[in-house]
Amino acid sequence: MSSIKDNDNLAEKYNFCGHTLTITMFRGASLGLSAYVWGPAPVLCQYFQDQKIDFTGKKVLELGSGTGLVGILVALLGGYVTLTDVPETLKQIEYNVDANIPATSKHRSSVRALYWGIDHHDYPSDFDFILGSDIVYSPSQFPCLLETLLHCCNENTTVLFSTNMPARMGAHDFHEKVIPKSFNSELVYTNGVISIYKMSKKSTR
């Protein structure tokens, strides 16, 4: 990974799955935590590479996209990706989508606003994958996040969350107590303090 600083923006290069991505963070745009690439995002990308996950033709939803690193890589790997976050973050994501996804593949990506627990009903429930990196950090948001997950998933959806467990308040309880009530959940990968959980919605039948 290499870094290039330009005024209030910081660009970092990442290499995964044979692709080089240049991710720009709008540090001067008052985006707070969204203006950073946090460790769980590249760890999730590394997991895709190590597991050789095939996203070709798959319908993918990314929650809390932030800089867009994860969703952009998935689009480059053939997925049809909807990258979502709060409205003020979308310009940063769109910038990185435009900088990294070739024009011939742009039709496989879209950037949309999504407030968990509020407008999730504007989204379908037929995603093959739902992805999240470093989005489990605020217990007050857990009910809305869970409500969004339950709506957007079906029993065939694979959910992958990458979380810095010791650094994020309530992360252990979310993954070990909250999620298992509605999802089958398995710890599939660890890298230092970062854990990746693979989940699927429990059958209601």
Side-chain angles (χ1 to χ4, degrees):
M1 183 184 72
S2 60
S3 301
I4 302 171
K5 196 172 189 308
D6 179 18
N7 296 325
D8 290 326
N9 296 338
L10 178 67
E12 293 183 344
K13 290 186 179 295
Y14 298 86
N15 294 282
F16 296 108
C17 307
H19 296 279
T20 299
L21 294 82
T22 301
I23 300 298
T24 299
M25 293 160 278
F26 288 10
R27 294 287 177 85
S30 301
L31 298 182
L33 298 176
S34 297
Y36 295 84
V37 175
W38 297 99
V43 168
L44 188 54
C45 292
Q46 184 66 46
Y47 176 75
F48 299 158
Q49 177 172 290
D50 292 349
Q51 298 298 312
K52 298 179 173 60
I53 297 179
D54 185 8
F55 288 104
T56 304
K58 301 300 184 182
K59 188 172 181 179
V60 183
L61 175 67
E62 185 185 14
L63 301 175
S65 297
T67 62
L69 172 61
V70 172
I72 289 167
L73 178 61
V74 171
L76 293 173
L77 295 176
Y80 287 81
V81 188
T82 303
L83 299 91
T84 67
D85 213 310
V86 293
E88 55 266 29
T89 306
L90 300 187
K91 286 187 178 180
Q92 176 177 259
I93 300 171
E94 290 167 346
Y95 181 93
N96 285 319
V97 165
D98 289 341
N100 290 279
I101 300 180
T104 53
S105 302
K106 282 284 190 348
H107 65 284
R108 292 204 306 269
S109 67
S110 64
V111 179
R112 293 179 57 187
L114 171 56
Y115 283 108
W116 302 339
I118 296 176
D119 54 7
H120 54 282
H121 291 292
D122 294 338
Y123 288 77
S125 302
D126 61 348
F127 292 101
D128 298 301
F129 287 89
I130 295 179
L131 309 174
S133 58
D134 211 25
I135 62 173
V136 178
Y137 59 84
S138 176
S140 65
Q141 294 184 355
F142 291 171
C144 292
L145 174 55
L146 183 61
E147 185 179 357
T148 299
L149 268 182
L150 287 170
H151 170 76
C152 293
C153 279
N154 60 68
E155 293 170 11
N156 296 314
T157 303
T158 297
V159 182
L160 292 169
F161 275 13
S162 179
T163 303
N164 185 331
M165 297 297 282
R168 300 299 179 242
M169 184 183 300
H172 183 271
D173 284 349
F174 179 83
H175 282 294
E176 299 295 337
K177 296 179 181 179
V178 176
I179 280 293
K181 294 177 182 178
S182 305
F183 290 83
N184 302 303
S185 181
E186 176 187 6
L187 176 63
V188 295
Y189 189 83
T190 58
N191 185 322
V193 297
I194 296 169
S195 299
I196 295 179
Y197 284 83
K198 182 178 182 180
M199 300 167 274
S200 60
K201 191 176 184 179
K202 289 182 176 179
S203 174
T204 56
R205 292 192 293 269

